[in-house]
Amino acid sequence: MKQQTQCETSLCRDLYTKTGYVFAKSPDEIAKMSGFLEVARLGSNENPYPPSPAVLKAAADALASANRYPDPKAESFTEAIHRHIYDSPVVTSGLGMDGVIETVIRALISPGDKVVVSTPTFSMYGIAAAAASAVVVNVPRLPDFSVDVDAFISEAKNAKLSFLCTPNNPTGTVTPVSDIEKILDSISGVLFLDNAYVEFCDADYLSLLKKYDNLIIGRTLSKVYGLAGLRVGYGFVPQWLEGPYHAAATPFTLNRVSEAAAVAALADESYRDNFIAHIRKWRSVFVKEIPYPVIPSGANFVLFDTVPLLSNDAMELFAKRGVLVRSCASFPGLGDTFVRVSIGDVWENERFLAAVKQL
Ligand SMILES: *Cc1c(COP(=O)(O)O)cnc(C)c1O
């Protein structure tokens, strides 16, 4: 039996027996070890509020026709994006923006192609590019976590594909639109701009789509729209990529329930606007009250430095006080003293602030 297990493991790619996505620690584990009935879940940048009644009703109605395959073109979703977000060709993915990232890589990258990533950042770009046997080159940000534009350009100028996240996860850093323009003017390949948190900041990158045909903007309904559990992401891609993107994508992107919920969520502007106002208000409270250096953030989370306390130790201390935060020790290039905390419901924020003052 043991022999057989080893044999099966040896058939797998090293990539997947040794590495993979690092998830935030399960709140249930933390709850168990801390004895709290309810844990403040501030580790995954989720929206703490359930979808609105209109979204729940749309999803429930769609469930009644779950015996039928979904619309392969997700036309009602595309139309809702055109109506509520931006009028440009749209692509979708049933697996969130993560699915968009994987599909773009599948459409563009052959083994050995160069993929550039501005780090420290979200791990999916490197994981998905490595899965396609790309050569991944990380370009470190400057000490204040702004993008080192010249260093980025010098690597990205001959790369097939480059990734830049703004506001950046996990630092919250917003890259000025003028820096993105400078990059787009200087590279021959494609820039994937990850805008998972863009609704929480003031920068508007959508206008760049008119000017550049080497720009992809990835967005998601997981954060501001509160649909993380339904996996709805989308991308604005240039016209020339639309056909290859669909050819590379899995046959059905959204499912009936996620598409109906997404259409209803996009129409619910007051849910979105109230949540954005909540985030902006609490973000400034966090910046003021966290007694550690806090990195300026345009997202629904902030990053702070607990040095000399290690972030893994800080995470345990928070857990004992019923608060789940993200230790960023697993983000390469960030060191081991940074903690990322999401802005949650009022009681969660208050419990966090009480805990951070007693670390
Ligand atoms: C959350 C997140 C995503 C992915 O969101 P999906 O849930 O897959 O839509 C993409 N990029 C960044 C930076 C994120 O933090």
Side-chain angles (χ1 to χ4, degrees):
M1 207 59 200
K2 192 160 183 253
Q3 194 87 33
Q4 195 183 353
T5 307
Q6 275 169 356
C7 170
E8 284 167 3
T9 304
S10 74
L11 294 176
C12 301
R13 299 171 69 188
D14 277 356
L15 192 60
Y16 297 123
T17 57
K18 298 199 173 73
T19 58
Y21 188 87
V22 179
F23 287 92
K25 202 167 193 178
S26 135
D28 303 330
E29 277 167 54
I30 308 255
K32 225 182 276 163
M33 71 187 238
S34 61
F36 279 87
L37 269 181
E38 262 202 298
V39 171
R41 302 173 62 137
L42 305 180
S44 299
N45 304 336
E46 294 153 335
N47 186 323
Y49 304 112
S52 67
V55 173
L56 297 180
K57 178 167 188 317
D61 289 350
L63 194 53
S65 51
N67 55 309
R68 300 294 179 192
Y69 278 110
D71 171 8
K73 290 192 182 148
E75 276 181 65
S76 62
F77 177 73
T78 304
E79 194 212 323
I81 294 293
H82 284 159
R83 181 148 19 104
H84 299 290
I85 309 287
Y86 189 70
D87 201 3
S88 150
V90 171
V91 290
T92 61
S93 166
L95 286 174
M97 195 206 304
D98 293 346
V100 177
I101 292 166
E102 287 200 315
T103 305
V104 163
I105 286 175
R106 211 176 303 140
L108 294 179
I109 299 301
S110 304
D113 281 347
K114 181 176 177 183
V115 172
V116 170
V117 180
S118 172
T119 59
T121 195
F122 191 54
S123 63
M124 263 305 290
Y125 322 129
I127 290 172
S133 303
V135 176
V136 180
V137 177
N138 292 328
V139 180
R141 287 168 176 253
L142 294 167
D144 68 353
F145 299 123
S146 61
V147 174
D148 185 342
V149 174
D150 292 334
F152 188 83
I153 287 171
S154 78
E155 284 295 347
K157 67 173 187 275
N158 64 354
K160 180 74 87 61
L161 178 62
S162 305
F163 286 93
L164 199 155
C165 185
T166 174
N168 185 38
N169 180 4
T171 65
T173 316
V174 177
T175 302
V177 176
S178 56
D179 283 358
I180 302 300
E181 283 191 285
K182 188 172 174 199
I183 290 167
L184 287 165
D185 281 331
S186 315
I187 62 174
S188 56
V190 174
L191 179 69
F192 188 108
L193 201 64
D194 182 329
N195 277 176
Y197 302 96
V198 75
E199 295 90 346
F200 304 112
C201 78
D202 296 320
D204 174 18
Y205 304 98
L206 291 173
S207 59
L208 298 175
L209 288 163
K210 277 201 190 78
K211 194 170 158 201
Y212 295 97
D213 69 353
N214 58 346
L215 172 64
I216 298 172
I217 293 182
R219 304 196 17 163
T220 178
L221 273 71
S222 294
K223 310 283 157 59
V224 72
Y225 292 97
L227 296 183
L230 286 182
R231 319 301 305 119
V232 182
Y234 61 102
F236 295 107
V237 307
Q239 205 80 56
W240 59 263
L241 185 56
E242 193 177 15
Y245 182 98
H246 285 296
T250 49
F252 297 99
T253 52
L254 304 183
N255 65 60
R256 284 179 175 270
V257 175
S258 64
E259 181 172 12
V263 169
L266 286 161
D268 194 344
E269 287 171 12
S270 66
Y271 175 96
R272 183 197 61 198
D273 293 345
N274 289 340
F275 184 56
I276 292 171
H278 171 83
I279 293 298
R280 286 178 178 267
K281 178 183 140 204
W282 278 96
R283 191 166 63 201
S284 58
V285 175
F286 275 27
V287 169
K288 222 180 303 157
E289 297 202 11
I290 293 172
Y292 296 95
V294 181
I295 312 307
S297 171
N300 64 341
F301 58 82
V302 299
L303 185 76
F304 58 99
D305 187 354
T306 56
V307 72
L309 184 62
L310 295 177
S311 54
N312 285 338
D313 295 342
M315 185 180 69
E316 299 294 321
L317 292 173
F318 277 115
K320 289 188 182 134
R321 298 198 160 105
V323 181
L324 177 71
V325 296
R326 179 67 190 262
S327 162
C328 292
S330 68
F331 286 82
L334 193 55
D336 50 11
T337 61
F338 282 96
V339 172
R340 190 190 70 196
V341 60
S342 315
I343 294 156
D345 199 350
V346 174
W347 69 269
E348 296 178 299
N349 299 340
E350 286 171 349
R351 189 189 286 177
F352 162 75
L353 287 172
V356 77
K357 289 168 189 169
Q358 297 166 23
L359 263 196

